[in-house]
Structure formats: C-alpha cells, structure tokens
Amino acid sequence: MVKKISKLLRTSSEIVPRDKFYTPGSSRGFLDLVNQRFLLKLLVAKEVKVRYRGSYLGQVWTYIKPFVLFLIYFMFVGYVMGGNDRVYNFGIYLFAGLSLVQFFNEVFRNCTISLRSNAALVRKIYLPRELFPIAAWRVALTHFIPQFVILLVASFVIAFSSHPVNLFFLDFKHILAFCLGILLISLFAIGAGMIFATINVFYRDAENLVEVITMCSTWISPVLYDYRLFSEIAPHWFYNIFMCSPISAAVELFHYAFVYDRNFRGDRWAIPVHWVYAANFIPYTLIAFGISGVFLVVGQILFHRFEGRFAQEL
Amino acid sequence: MKLFGKTMTPDPEVVVDIQNLQKLFKLHHNYSLKDSFVNLFTRSNIHKTMFTALNDINLQVHRGEAVGLIGRNGSGKSTLLKQITGVQRPDAGSVRVKGKMAGLIEVGAGFHPDLTGRENIYLNGAILGMSKNEIEQKFDEIVEFSGQAKFIDTEVRFYSSGMYMRLAFSVAIHTEPDLFLVDEVLSVGDNEFRKKCIQKLFELKNENRTFMIVSHSENQIRQICDRVVWLHHGIIMADGTPDEVYPKMNAFQS
C-alpha cells in the first residue's frame, strides 16, 4: 500500500513523458496537484492580491468582517436573547463556532464559483481542474488564520483570568480536536464545493443554492445556541441527524478545543456539563467524517466524469 | 522565403497521433434548471441541435514537423487544437501525444490585469508548465524579448494592448515545449515584433520541436510550415506541402 502510494507520488512529480504516448487532458485527480505546488501558490497569491486591490484597508478587512459579525451576534444573541446566561463563556463559544462556520461558508462558496470565475483559463489551457477548488480553499485558509490567532489569544486570556493554573492544562487532546475540526470542515466544504462547482458549470442555479445554504449554516449548527437547547425541543431522530452533520461535528470539535475542558478545570464552576454529549462525541464525529469522505469522493468522481466538458460548457 | 524548411529532414517518429476523432457540439444550452426541466417534458428535438465540429479526423504529426492548419472560419481548426491540448475531449476516437506541449491557443489567457508584468510572467509561466527555476532562469530573456523592461513592475491593466500581447507572447514562446500549438497569435504586435517572433519560431523549429499552426495568412504558413492540412466543415480535405494544398483550396473556394 505504502509502496503503491509512493510510486504514484513519484510518477506524478515526473515531467510529461517525452518518449511515451499519453492522452492529453486525462487527469489523476488530486494526485496531479503534487507537481503543481508552485502554480497553486501563485494562484492563491493572485487571488489574495486581486481581492483587496485598490482598497485602502486591504487585508485588514479580513479582521473587520468577522469581528463585526461576532459583535452583532454577541450583543443580540448573547444579551437580548439570553445566550450569555445559558452558555458558559459565551463569547469564546460563539467566536469559535462562528469562525469555523465562516470558514466553511467561504470555502464552499469559493469552490463553487472557482471554475466559473477562472473560465478564461479553464476554456483555453489544460490544467488539472482540481487546482481551482484547492486554490479557493487555500485562500479561505489565509483568511481564517488571523481569526484563529484572535481566538487563541482570547481563549488564553479568559482561561488565565478565571484561574492562572488553567494555562497549564493545554494538552494534546485540544490541539488534536482543533486539527480534526479543520480537517473535517475542509473535507466537507471542498467535497460539497466540487459537487456544486460541477453543477454550476451546467446550471448557474447552483450558485444561488449555495447562497441559501451558507445563509442557513450558522443556524443549523450549534453556534449561536447550546446543542442541549436543541435536544430539548427536537425529536430524537432529527437531533441525531443534526449532530452528525459535518458542520455541527466540526463546531463541537472547536468548542472542545477552545471552550470546554480547559476553561473548566481549576475553575470553581467546573461542571462537566457536556458529559451527555461527550458520550456520543466520538460516534457523531466518526459519522461526520464518513459523510465528508463521501462528499469528497463524489465530488472527485463528478469532476472526473465531466471535466472534459467544462471547457465547452463554460 | 524559406529559411530552414528544406534543410531539415523530419524525424519519422510520430508525436501527435489522432485516430478517427469526432467532436460534437450541442447548439442550444439550458442554463437554468427550469429550462432543462421543461425540455425534459416537452422533448424538444435534441438531435437536431447537435453540430459536428470534427468528423473522422486521422492525422499523424512527426517530431520536428511544422504543420499548418488552414481553412475557413468555423472549419474546426481551433477545435482540433483544443482536442490536442486536452482542454476538450473528443466524443469518439482518440488523441495521443508525446512530450510537453504549450498551447498558444490564446496568448495571455492566464494574464490578470491587476497583477504586475513580473507577477504575470511568473503566473503565466507556471500555467504553461514551467517550474520556478525555469522561470527564474528565463526571466531576463522573457523581459528582454518583450521589450517591456521599463514597465515590468507596472500593473498590466495600464499596458497598451500591443504591450500586453508582446509580454504574453514572450512568456509563451520561452516555455520550451516539445510541441507548440499556435492559434492565430502570429498577428501580434507591429511588424518588427512579428518578425522577431517568426525568427524565434525558426530557432525553435531548428531545435527539432514540433509545431501546429493555425493561420489565415498564406504568407506566414508558407514561411514556417512544410506541411499543410486543409480542413473544411470538420473534414480533412487535403494534406501535403503548401504548394500542393493551397491551389486545391483556392480552386475549391472560387
């Protein structure tokens, strides 16, 4: 198995064979990206530069937009609707989930339009088409990193201010949860994005549908409220579906990484309030990973099946 | 005028092998789900909207050959090149190639107006399959060839259309592929630059690289190509030296 993979990687980094026939335009999906790293980097740099071209604040907008959104939700959901009273450490709780969902929205949206917005290239030059959704993902990642830094600092400050000893309780599990959360949401967003990107080549309706989905994504995952609130009112089967959705699972992984345990330890309010959920934490997450994997495979298959027609349909 | 055409004996090795290639296009598209849903029930005559762009094309190009594709607008020349680059896939038959290709299908397709000349050279070079080292090595040569050294750090949006095309062409011509697919890009720039381009093409041809060129200029084709393929409504009408094919085509058209 390892041998096979390393062989594939080796051949994919070779230059095009000079003395052997090959069929132009036949791709091996994501494997082709291995020797396109430089191009990928340039495409990402282009995307980032072009987006903030001619704007005075430039990259600062990546901070302003999520911050305003956070502030609005924090004021209205936190104070007006009483989220503050129900959820421990609501600020961090909200920001952790919100930044992740925003990341999902951006990846999903950018992937969906990635083929159409690069139509000039897709139509005229053959490149592995997976480049475009992956570039879109990398662009979203560069926007996510500042939010992550803010989140990290804020959660440290709050943990420290509630009890200095909390700082020593940052352990491997939280870092793992964070990494898994990013991985899970990336797989899901890229997979779904590739599916919608393919549809979008043929029917522009996909773009609008994606707008609707991203509008709902904040609400159909436990970002603005506690999942227990949902479990109290929703039928059990619906609650299970809700928790198995990759967005919910990734949000909960983030909550675990930034809010749960760490801030509770050494704290006098420390109650393992999430033990109910913790019992099903792992199965829910595994199912969510399975769903994401299916989306990614379907996305890749659709790309492979239809990429010969991308150029003429765009 | 023929500079190198006669001195070269083309290598018999086939580098482009096209077998029974067929390409169909749908003429009417539905861009919304509603339309296609309606069509599904009304059964609008789908078969009538198919258009055969290329029909049963068989063509072998050998290493070191320069093949000119000629014919009227809409005869399938560009479509044929697109099948070879892999941008589109044939509906039937097969296309196989050997070696690295560069499609000068549309010069500057990867250019972005908001990037500087320098950034565009890197981006477009990478799009055309150059590695980072190759681009760095060739960078000065590319800039010099384009004659844009002064404006290289200016955003391309401020370039005149001539300057833009010169830079784009310089990048494309420095990618050093084994197979060049050139589509109507020899009409770039002023006379002097065009001469320089053709000179450069000869140099590359001398290095035993293969060319497929689409052009409406008989002069250019006769200058560069030693073999001409005449396409008409997606069918190969004639294949031979320019002296054989051009009289046939002219007789047919008049």
Side-chain angles (χ1 to χ4, degrees):
Chain A
M1 180 70 182
V2 175
K3 221 176 206 175
K4 203 175 164 193
I5 290 171
S6 69
K7 192 179 155 210
L8 272 171
L9 287 178
R10 203 165 47 243
T11 47
S12 67
S13 58
E14 267 171 20
I15 325 162
V16 198
R18 189 143 191 269
D19 46 4
K20 227 172 68 193
F21 274 118
Y22 65 97
T23 304
S26 56
S27 83
R28 285 173 304 160
F30 287 115
L31 278 175
D32 278 343
L33 298 187
V34 177
N35 52 352
Q36 297 280 4
R37 278 165 305 194
F38 178 56
L39 176 55
L40 189 60
K41 202 180 107 192
L42 290 176
L43 282 174
V44 172
K46 177 201 96 179
E47 207 55 47
V48 171
K49 191 183 172 194
V50 166
R51 181 170 312 189
Y52 295 106
R53 200 200 78 90
S55 95
Y56 180 67
L57 288 173
Q59 287 261 13
V60 178
W61 282 109
T62 50
Y63 292 85
I64 295 174
K65 279 188 275 185
F67 185 69
V68 170
L69 199 62
F70 167 72
L71 221 58
I72 291 292
Y73 279 136
F74 189 64
M75 280 186 332
F76 288 93
V77 181
Y79 286 99
V80 180
M81 292 162 75
N84 249 332
D85 309 328
R86 288 202 198 94
V87 183
Y88 176 80
N89 220 340
F90 186 69
I92 297 286
Y93 182 93
L94 176 64
F95 194 57
L98 201 58
S99 61
L100 189 83
V101 170
Q102 290 299 312
F103 175 65
F104 167 78
N105 285 350
E106 200 186 341
V107 177
F108 187 32
R109 199 183 301 127
N110 290 359
C111 281
T112 301
I113 62 168
S114 63
L115 288 175
R116 192 182 54 74
S117 61
N118 285 298
L121 270 181
V122 175
R123 262 205 307 259
K124 285 159 194 160
I125 296 169
Y126 177 75
L127 295 167
R129 321 286 194 193
E130 283 80 6
L131 265 176
F132 302 110
I134 295 298
W137 170 70
R138 290 263 300 261
V139 170
L141 207 56
T142 61
H143 289 161
F144 174 73
I145 286 166
Q147 296 184 41
F148 165 65
V149 172
I150 295 174
L151 185 60
L152 200 65
V153 170
S155 66
F156 269 121
V157 167
I158 287 178
F160 186 78
S161 63
S162 68
H163 202 294
V165 80
N166 280 339
L167 273 190
F168 299 104
F169 284 101
L170 174 73
D171 68 11
F172 175 69
K173 275 188 297 183
H174 299 116
I175 298 169
L176 182 69
F178 168 76
C179 296
L180 286 178
I182 285 286
L183 180 68
L184 176 58
I185 208 72
S186 298
L187 291 178
F188 183 57
I190 293 171
M194 283 172 81
I195 293 171
F196 277 84
T198 309
I199 299 172
N200 200 36
V201 170
F202 301 95
Y203 305 105
R204 296 293 146 79
D205 308 63
E207 264 174 59
N208 297 306
L209 191 55
V210 166
E211 282 302 317
V212 176
I213 295 171
T214 54
M215 237 160 54
C216 306
S217 59
T218 320
W219 293 94
I220 55 172
S221 49
V223 173
L224 302 170
Y225 48 84
D226 196 309
Y227 74 96
R228 282 166 302 168
L229 201 61
F230 190 74
S231 72
E232 280 160 20
I233 50 166
H236 196 66
W237 60 271
F238 189 66
Y239 168 74
N240 277 335
I241 293 175
F242 172 82
M243 291 313 281
C244 286
S245 106
I247 305 177
S248 296
V251 165
E252 282 304 331
L253 280 167
F254 256 47
H255 286 162
Y256 179 80
F258 291 102
V259 198
Y260 292 174
D261 274 2
R262 186 195 317 157
N263 297 330
F264 292 159
R265 281 198 212 163
D267 193 298
R268 61 195 163 94
W269 296 298
I271 337 151
V273 277
H274 288 90
W275 65 272
V276 185
Y277 180 60
N280 287 324
F281 192 73
I282 290 167
Y284 282 140
T285 309
L286 285 179
I287 292 171
F289 264 102
I291 292 170
S292 303
V294 169
F295 268 79
L296 196 66
V297 169
V298 170
Q300 173 73 83
I301 290 171
L302 279 179
F303 249 54
H304 201 74
R305 169 89 176 68
F306 288 105
E307 69 179 353
R309 285 170 63 190
F310 285 171
Q312 68 213 46
E313 300 285 345
L314 271 169
Chain B
M1 187 185 73
K2 204 161 229 176
L3 285 181
F4 299 105
K6 295 294 179 197
T7 59
M8 295 272 310
T9 39
D11 203 316
E13 187 192 359
V14 176
V15 287
V16 180
D17 182 26
I18 300 170
Q19 304 269 359
N20 309 320
L21 182 142
Q22 192 186 34
K23 184 71 195 172
L24 304 169
F25 282 125
K26 236 185 262 162
L27 286 184
H28 298 296
H29 293 272
N30 310 311
Y31 279 118
S32 79
L33 276 173
K34 192 199 98 196
D35 286 351
S36 59
F37 202 66
V38 169
N39 275 3
L40 198 69
F41 290 104
T42 54
R43 294 223 168 246
S44 59
N45 30 16
I46 294 160
H47 56 280
K48 272 188 186 170
T49 63
M50 296 307 271
F51 168 76
T52 311
L54 292 170
N55 202 1
D56 201 26
I57 301 284
N58 285 288
L59 184 65
Q60 275 77 36
V61 179
H62 305 93
R63 196 182 291 285
E65 252 182 339
V67 179
L69 294 175
I70 59 170
R72 285 184 183 166
N73 287 335
S75 57
K77 307 180 297 288
S78 303
T79 310
L80 182 57
L81 286 195
K82 280 180 183 162
Q83 312 305 310
I84 299 171
T85 56
V87 165
Q88 293 178 4
R89 300 258 187 83
D91 290 292
S94 70
V95 179
R96 295 183 307 157
V97 294
K98 266 183 201 174
K100 188 176 155 189
M101 20 174 197
L104 310 193
I105 301 283
E106 191 134 337
V107 166
F111 267 46
H112 199 286
D114 290 341
L115 299 179
T116 66
R118 181 185 302 274
E119 290 165 331
N120 268 313
I121 289 177
Y122 272 87
L123 181 62
N124 225 34
I127 285 170
L128 293 174
M130 290 167 93
S131 71
K132 193 180 174 187
N133 286 337
E134 273 177 279
I135 300 172
E136 274 163 3
Q137 271 172 23
K138 288 273 168 66
F139 188 83
D140 293 333
E141 213 177 308
I142 292 170
V143 175
E144 200 205 304
F145 190 85
S146 71
Q148 308 294 334
K150 209 172 143 190
F151 307 105
I152 201 65
D153 286 313
T154 309
E155 282 173 17
V156 166
R157 61 167 60 238
F158 299 116
Y159 282 28
S160 73
S161 59
M163 286 158 71
Y164 185 91
M165 292 312 272
R166 286 172 74 140
L167 188 64
F169 194 84
S170 301
V171 179
I173 212 161
H174 284 90
T175 51
E176 301 227 318
D178 301 306
L179 173 62
F180 268 106
L181 302 163
V182 186
D183 190 357
E184 283 295 346
V185 287
L186 294 174
S187 46
V188 185
D190 47 24
N191 262 334
E192 180 217 2
F193 186 69
R194 216 172 325 172
K195 250 185 219 159
K196 213 159 115 183
C197 289
I198 290 176
Q199 188 62 39
K200 182 77 186 174
L201 288 186
F202 278 129
E203 269 173 42
L204 292 167
K205 204 183 146 197
N206 231 13
E207 293 167 9
N208 215 15
R209 296 178 199 277
T210 316
F211 285 86
M212 291 185 82
I213 298 168
V214 169
S215 178
H216 287 291
S217 152
E218 190 176 335
N219 252 338
Q220 273 176 6
I221 294 276
R222 279 178 182 275
Q223 250 180 339
I224 304 164
C225 302
D226 25 47
R227 181 179 166 199
V228 175
V229 173
W230 166 31
L231 282 172
H232 187 73
H233 290 316
I235 298 165
I236 294 181
M237 300 287 277
D239 180 351
T241 63
D243 290 333
E244 288 165 15
V245 178
Y246 268 110
K248 277 189 204 165
M249 185 173 90
N250 292 336
F252 179 83
Q253 282 178 352
S254 60

